[in-house]
Amino acid sequence: MAFLRNIMGLVLKYIYEFVKSIFTVEPASFSYLAISIIIISIVFKIVLFPIFLSSIKNQKITAQFADEQKKIRERYKHDPQAMNMKLMEFNKEHGIKQLGGCLPMILQIILVFAMFAVMKEPLLYIFGDVNAAVSKNFFWISDLSKPDPLLYGLPLINAITQYLYLEISNRDQKDNPAAKSMETMKYIFPVIIFFSAKSFSAGLALYWACTNVVEILLRLGLTAYENRKMDK
């Protein structure tokens, strides 16, 4: 965790210096640090886009062959070993990666943990000095290293954007039986995110909200692109 925290802090420092070099005067309503957090969330999504796209394609292929997989499970339900073997053969034949949909989530969790560690003491892990003269405000938030003081601030934004992302994701996978089991999660998970964001640093909540917004835009963009291809 210390290694990831240090890498995240270093990347944020480079982005912060870049932002500082662009602006002649730091905006009063939101700090260079807030801008840097927003930028790093976008940068990570762009870097991870090929993996994200591969995951989406894998989910669609899985949904396409869901009925065939179900038949295999029913045929070999009394022989788990044979069932797993047949499913592995089927998935390999049709290019289905069993862990393909998990990789983006795993990477996202790793990045969130790294950001969580950095935002506990951003002056130390980004600038190497707890006494560094750095503004940490973001509109109504005076210090991004502390929780959002407003109940309906970033925690609510996080919950809403998380719900929207899950709603869009489930809609895109409506033919996938596995998505049906996630239907209740689109209501439960945003609530968990809401209460978590109330206790975590506002900087982490800002990062998570920006990540959700970028993922929503990517999902909508891909859906629109695929619909346009189908219409031609």
Side-chain angles (χ1 to χ4, degrees), residues 6-47:
N6 294 337
I7 293 296
M8 179 69 78
L10 185 62
V11 174
L12 270 170
K13 183 179 180 181
Y14 281 127
I15 293 176
Y16 180 92
E17 294 297 336
F18 171 73
V19 171
K20 189 176 179 180
S21 68
I22 295 177
F23 289 86
T24 54
V25 179
E26 188 170 19
S29 55
F30 52 95
S31 61
Y32 291 151
L33 180 60
I35 299 172
S36 301
I37 292 172
I38 294 171
I39 290 175
I40 199 172
S41 67
I42 298 172
V43 168
F44 281 152
K45 281 302 169 186
I46 293 174
V47 171

Side-chain angles (χ1 to χ4, degrees), residues 83-211:
M83 180 180 68
N84 291 333
M85 185 66 67
K86 291 294 182 181
L87 283 172
M88 288 176 61
E89 292 175 356
F90 182 86
N91 291 340
K92 185 177 180 180
E93 179 182 352
H94 294 89
I96 300 174
K97 301 174 183 176
Q98 289 180 300
L99 299 178
C102 300
L103 185 56
M105 186 184 300
I106 293 171
L107 292 174
Q108 177 65 10
I109 291 173
I110 291 172
L111 293 174
V112 167
F113 274 115
M115 180 62 75
F116 170 79
V118 169
M119 291 312 303
K120 289 175 67 176
E121 292 189 75
L123 297 184
L124 175 61
Y125 298 126
I126 299 175
F127 306 100
D129 182 3
V130 293
N131 297 314
V134 175
S135 297
K136 296 179 287 182
N137 64 301
F138 177 71
F139 292 108
W140 65 91
I141 303 168
S142 60
D143 189 347
L144 285 167
S145 65
K146 297 178 181 179
D148 189 333
L150 293 182
L151 177 64
Y152 300 110
L154 284 175
L156 184 60
I157 293 173
N158 272 265
I160 292 173
T161 54
Q162 190 65 53
Y163 171 81
L164 290 175
Y165 173 70
L166 292 173
E167 171 67 21
I168 294 170
S169 299
N170 287 352
R171 186 178 63 194
D172 289 345
Q173 302 177 59
K174 59 185 178 180
D175 296 327
N176 188 350
K180 296 178 182 178
S181 63
M182 294 294 292
E183 188 68 19
T184 55
M185 284 303 298
K186 81 177 181 183
Y187 300 105
I188 297 174
F189 195 53
V191 174
I192 295 173
I193 292 296
F194 173 77
F195 286 104
S196 298
K198 285 178 60 180
S199 58
F200 293 157
S201 66
L204 178 62
L206 176 61
Y207 171 82
W208 189 273
C210 291
T211 297

